[in-house]
Amino acid sequence: MGFFGLFNKKKKETLDKGLERSSQSFFSKISKAVAGKSKVDEEVLDELEEVLITSDVGVETTLKIIERIEARVARDKYVSTSELNGILRDEIAKLLAENNTQDMEDWDLPTDHKPYVILVVGVNGVGKTTTIGKLAYQFKAAGKKVFLGAADTFRAAAVEQLCIWGERVGVPVIKQKMGADPASVAFDTLSSAKANDADVVIIDTAGRLHNKVGLMNELKKIKDVMKKVFPTAPDEVLLVLDGSTGQNAFEQAKQFSAVTNITSLAVTKLDGTAKGGVVIGISEQLKVPVKYIGLGEGMEDLQLFNKQEFVASLFGDRML
């Protein structure tokens, strides 16, 4: 049984609780949209469009969902409002699947090489360093040897925070003095990881977007230096986003994707917001899979994203 095998029940409870505000808001809006209606017609679809947009799913993604439901209504001739819940669940799950969002159950890593190198990007304040600490905890709990690299050398607080997480989790943090070359920190981290036969390396980076050219050059330099130690590195470029900011998170995602090749997303702080729909829109628009979601302050509250479980928790067991 995998690492999460014993904790599936707790994981679902955490997911349900974390998405409770989003679920209540979403279902409440849909219920109002279909009130007094027996079938899905143009008026219901117009109301549903507004529900999805105000739930931070995003305009383009919303229009795509509405088009798909319209096609089903046209094909089946009659669709009752009681069926709308199930149809929405199906279409949202399909969208997430089309964006290569895999249903992951365990913290497994590729077996053809190691270490697995994760380069983490994102603006300050989204929970980037906390996510790195929780990732380190999860991987270590799964029996992996983890090294962290403090390559956000422009903020003393960033290095200090990562070191605190390293001590808390019990994993080494490679750092240099303030203002040091981030690529040099990345090189030292991977060199140490190689010497110590590490399984996972997670590199923190500076969260600056005011100078896109500088950020792009910096990330390119870090990647180039990494490849001198491990030609496959980085295996993953993870963008961390604050889900509670709704469409602002989507704008950040677009800006980061313009300067570097994002391969996966972590959406944090979903437990304190009713904006859980942003997960759907960001993934669909960027064509980048959501891999992790943050649902609380606890070490275990960072979860591998499972689209089926996410959609089930977002809709709950409610019926229209």
Side-chain angles (χ1 to χ4, degrees):
M1 181 179 288
F3 175 60
F4 261 113
L6 298 173
F7 301 100
N8 280 339
K9 184 178 179 181
K10 182 179 178 183
K11 177 186 175 186
K12 186 179 187 308
E13 289 173 352
T14 300
L15 184 59
D16 287 346
K17 184 178 179 182
L19 293 178
E20 187 174 5
R21 289 179 63 179
S22 293
S23 178
Q24 288 176 347
S25 173
F26 194 47
F27 187 79
S28 173
K29 290 175 182 177
I30 294 175
S31 295
K32 289 177 183 176
V34 303
K37 297 282 188 176
S38 60
K39 72 172 186 175
V40 176
D41 56 17
E42 189 172 333
E43 185 178 347
V44 168
L45 288 172
D46 285 344
E47 292 282 348
L48 180 59
E49 182 177 319
E50 184 177 344
V51 168
L52 292 170
I53 290 173
T54 57
S55 297
D56 285 277
V57 172
V59 175
E60 291 184 40
T61 303
T62 292
L63 293 177
K64 185 171 289 189
I65 292 171
I66 295 297
E67 285 175 6
R68 293 184 177 205
I69 295 176
E70 283 177 333
R72 289 180 71 158
V73 170
R75 183 190 68 210
D76 299 340
K77 304 305 179 186
Y78 181 89
V79 175
S80 69
T81 51
S82 62
E83 296 176 85
L84 186 57
N85 215 2
I87 292 172
L88 257 179
R89 290 173 72 146
D90 288 347
E91 295 303 334
I92 290 171
K94 285 177 184 176
L95 273 181
L96 290 169
E98 288 167 10
N99 301 328
N100 298 316
T101 296
Q102 304 292 321
D103 283 347
M104 299 179 65
E105 296 291 346
D106 217 335
W107 297 82
D108 290 329
L109 296 171
T111 56
D112 58 339
H113 72 278
K114 70 177 193 178
Y116 187 78
V117 181
I118 305 173
L119 182 66
V120 184
V121 301
V123 300
N124 300 329
V126 297
K128 181 161 56 77
T129 308
T130 299
T131 298
I132 291 171
K134 290 179 179 179
L135 274 175
Y137 168 79
Q138 301 277 17
F139 280 121
K140 187 181 179 188
K144 310 299 182 185
K145 183 183 286 188
V146 184
F147 272 65
L148 303 181
D152 183 355
T153 59
F154 294 90
R155 289 192 311 126
V159 176
E160 182 181 346
Q161 188 182 6
L162 194 67
C163 288
I164 290 171
W165 271 105
E167 291 176 11
R168 188 181 301 170
V169 177
V171 300
V173 178
I174 308 302
K175 63 178 182 176
Q176 293 184 12
K177 63 183 180 181
M178 269 291 296
D181 181 4
S184 176
V185 177
F187 182 85
D188 284 354
T189 305
L190 265 66
S191 298
S192 295
K194 184 176 184 179
N196 289 277
D197 197 32
D199 298 299
V200 184
V201 175
I202 309 174
I203 306 288
D204 191 13
T205 62
R208 298 167 301 140
L209 266 177
H210 59 275
N211 183 348
K212 291 184 183 179
V213 175
L215 178 62
M216 180 165 54
N217 291 339
E218 182 179 297
L219 292 174
K220 182 180 184 302
K221 185 177 179 182
I222 290 174
K223 289 179 181 178
D224 290 345
V225 165
M226 282 181 167
K227 292 186 184 300
K228 292 180 180 179
V229 186
F230 294 108
T232 59
D235 297 282
E236 185 176 337
V237 180
L238 174 67
L239 173 62
V240 181
L241 299 166
D242 179 350
S244 69
T245 63
Q247 288 304 295
N248 285 337
F250 178 54
E251 290 304 314
Q252 286 178 19
K254 286 199 297 186
Q255 291 182 58
F256 268 99
S257 65
V259 301
T260 192
N261 181 34
I262 306 298
T263 63
S264 61
L265 302 171
V267 185
T268 67
K269 307 181 185 179
L270 289 173
D271 56 306
T273 180
K275 300 176 182 288
V278 73
V279 171
I280 303 161
I282 289 173
S283 177
E284 199 283 321
Q285 287 298 299
L286 293 182
K287 306 302 180 190
V288 175
V290 177
K291 193 167 183 180
Y292 314 98
I293 52 175
L295 298 160
E297 297 299 319
M299 294 276 209
E300 299 86 0
D301 291 336
L302 181 75
Q303 292 191 2
L304 287 165
F305 183 73
N306 181 299
K307 61 180 179 292
Q308 300 293 347
E309 293 175 357
F310 176 84
V311 173
S313 290
L314 185 61
F315 281 85
D317 297 321
R318 303 176 176 93
M319 298 296 293
L320 292 172

